[in-house]
């Protein structure tokens, strides 16, 4: 039985991961910034008598982070796994994203994750073991239009994870990056709600195509438990890989991008019509996504 702390378990991938790991017998400290949003998790855990403990934790706040980690250590005396899952994804063209918006994204997706890592490393080092799972995205491997700020935060998380993995390897600690494709969770609606109107925007084509792709994703994207299963597998591996793609579309998107030059990726936006754009998309990323 492992002691696991997960951030952002009020919905989506965090919720699914908390339930999956608890059902497998791990003791799960399921954290969220607003415990009023714990109803689904609380009811399921009670009904199934799962070993889940709810913890209040806002990754944006240092005191909240250190307090939550202290609570786990006071109760258990050890921590085997941290899952850095909390994240936000307001889609926007770069020109339309204010400094405040960029800072908010980096505060949670990058600073929040690093804050959590710093809080758990002393105990993991003294244990001489532990696993840190950072939930990134395929957007941590490629930069789509209207996702530049989010993508930049996930590239940053991936870079920090890679360096960290080297630093802590001699201490017996493993670092794992999870890269989901499109997964049906509340984040998609929140992401699209942030997009500006395409009317009169200099980026109207990119905004419209982003809306179309993610509207399809809301219908046909993967289930959050698919990501939870990958996280469970990575944690269980004696020698985990650094990166795990999650979802069939993730493999197609990352593989397709790797086969393209930077210029081929950029000039996909040359098409005047959405039909032409999505025809090239389907050629570059065969069977990757259900396209409009
Ligand atoms: N869904 C996808 O297609 C997809 C694809 C690739 C990667 N991801 C990544 O997967 C992770 C989980 O996202 P999701 O899709 O499951 O979305 P979600 O359902 O919106 O879950 C995000 C979670 O993060 C929490 N959160 C946000 N800011 C926080 C903060 N400051 N402190 C603590 N918790 C905070 C949210 O809490 P509240 O309920 O309080 O807002 C929520 O519990 C994110 O890192 C996301 O970038 C998702």
């Amino acid at each position: 039985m492992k002691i696991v702390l997960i951030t952002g378990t009020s919905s989506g991938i965090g919720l699914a991961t908390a339930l999956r790991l608890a059902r497998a017998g791990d003791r799960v400290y399921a954290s969220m910034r607003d415990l009023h949003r714990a109803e689904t998790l609380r009811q399921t855990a009670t009904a199934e008598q799962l070993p889940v403990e709810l913890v209040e934790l806002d990754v944006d706040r240092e005191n909240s982070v250190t307090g939550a980690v202290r609570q786990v250590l006071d109760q258990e005396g050890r921590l085997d796994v941290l899952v850095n899952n909390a994240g936000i994804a307001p889609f926007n063209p770069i020109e339309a994203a204010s400094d405040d918006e960029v800072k908010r994204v980096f505060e949670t997706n990058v600073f929040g994750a690093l804050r959590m890592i710093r809080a758990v490393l002393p105990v993991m080092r003294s244990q001489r073991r532990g696993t840190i799972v950072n939930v990134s995205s395929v957007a941590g491997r490629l930069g789509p239009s209207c996702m530049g700020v989010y993508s930049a935060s996930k590239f940053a998380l991936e870079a920090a994870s890679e360096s960290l993995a080297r630093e802590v390897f001699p201490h017996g600690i493993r670092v794992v990056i999870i890269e989901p494709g499109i997964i049906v969770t509340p984040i998609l609606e929140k992401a699209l709600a942030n997009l500006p109107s395409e009317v009169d925007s200099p980026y109207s084509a990119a905004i419209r195509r982003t809306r179309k792709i993610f509207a399809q994703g809301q219908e046909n994207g993967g289930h959050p438990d698919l990501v939870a299963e990958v996280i469970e597998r990575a944690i269980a591996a004696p020698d985990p890989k650094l990166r795990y793609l999650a979802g069939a579309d993730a493999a197609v998107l990352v593989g397709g991008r790797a086969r393209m030059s930077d210029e081929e990726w950029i000039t996909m936006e040359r098409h005047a019509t959405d039909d032409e754009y999505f025809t090239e998309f389907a050629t570059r990323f065969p069977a990757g996504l259900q396209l409009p």
Side-chain angles (χ1 to χ4, degrees), residues 3-6 27-31 53 55 71-72 75-76:
I3 310 296
V4 182
L5 171 60
I6 310 174
R27 183 148 183 75
V28 174
Y29 283 78
S31 75
E53 187 95 18
V55 182
Q71 183 182 335
V72 177
Q75 284 177 237
E76 304 292 341

Side-chain angles (χ1 to χ4, degrees), residues 8-14 33-34 37 57-60 85-88 108 135-137 150 154 180-183 185-188 190:
T9 61
S10 65
S11 60
I13 293 168
R33 58 181 165 176
D34 179 2
R37 293 178 42 72
L57 198 178
D58 181 343
V59 301
D60 292 0
N85 165 77
I88 57 172
T108 302
V135 179
S136 173
S137 168
Y150 176 67
K154 294 301 191 183
I182 298 184
I183 306 296
T185 76
I187 211 170
L188 301 182
K190 293 179 266 185

Side-chain angles (χ1 to χ4, degrees), residues 5-158:
L5 171 60
I6 310 174
T7 64
T9 61
S10 65
S11 60
I13 293 168
L15 172 62
T17 305
L19 290 174
R20 175 173 271 271
L21 296 183
R23 284 174 181 141
D26 291 334
R27 183 148 183 75
V28 174
Y29 283 78
S31 75
M32 62 189 77
R33 58 181 165 176
D34 179 2
L35 287 174
H36 292 107
R37 293 178 42 72
E39 217 37 54
T40 311
L41 180 52
R42 189 180 276 124
Q43 277 177 10
T44 312
T46 305
E48 297 182 31
Q49 296 186 308
L50 297 174
V52 172
E53 187 95 18
L54 289 166
V55 182
E56 190 175 326
L57 198 178
D58 181 343
V59 301
D60 292 0
R61 295 192 297 116
E62 176 74 27
N63 285 348
S64 179
V65 166
T66 50
V69 171
R70 198 177 318 115
Q71 183 182 335
V72 177
L73 296 180
D74 285 350
Q75 284 177 237
E76 304 292 341
R78 70 174 217 268
L79 176 61
D80 302 311
V81 179
L82 164 68
V83 182
N84 261 325
N85 165 77
I88 57 172
F91 292 172
N92 222 347
I94 292 286
E95 187 180 341
S98 65
D99 270 1
D100 276 354
E101 183 170 305
V102 178
K103 284 177 184 166
R104 227 163 22 85
V105 173
F106 273 73
E107 186 63 58
T108 302
N109 296 5
V110 183
F111 286 87
L114 297 185
R115 213 171 267 129
M116 290 299 305
I117 288 165
R118 278 195 303 273
V120 304
L121 274 182
V123 69
M124 286 188 176
R125 274 193 296 100
S126 70
Q127 293 167 178
R128 296 205 57 75
R129 71 191 172 88
T131 304
I132 294 170
V133 178
N134 291 331
V135 179
S136 173
S137 168
V138 293
R141 302 284 291 279
L142 48 94
S145 305
C146 298
M147 292 172 62
V149 175
Y150 176 67
S151 223
S153 75
K154 294 301 191 183
F155 268 67
L157 180 63
E158 297 230 358

Side-chain angles (χ1 to χ4, degrees), residues 155-222:
F155 268 67
L157 180 63
E158 297 230 358
S161 303
E162 193 169 303
S163 294
L164 177 71
R166 290 174 57 107
E167 290 166 3
V168 299
F169 183 81
H171 297 280
I173 301 164
R174 301 294 171 257
V175 178
V176 164
I177 301 168
I178 307 290
E179 299 170 330
I182 298 184
I183 306 296
V184 182
T185 76
I187 211 170
L188 301 182
E189 201 179 326
K190 293 179 266 185
L192 294 178
N194 196 68
L195 276 175
S197 161
E198 62 195 68
V199 181
D200 291 336
S201 168
Y203 305 103
S204 58
I207 294 168
R208 193 176 58 248
R209 290 163 190 169
T210 303
R211 276 195 210 289
K212 286 185 176 176
I213 288 173
F214 283 89
Q216 283 286 330
Q218 282 174 310
E219 300 288 316
N220 305 306

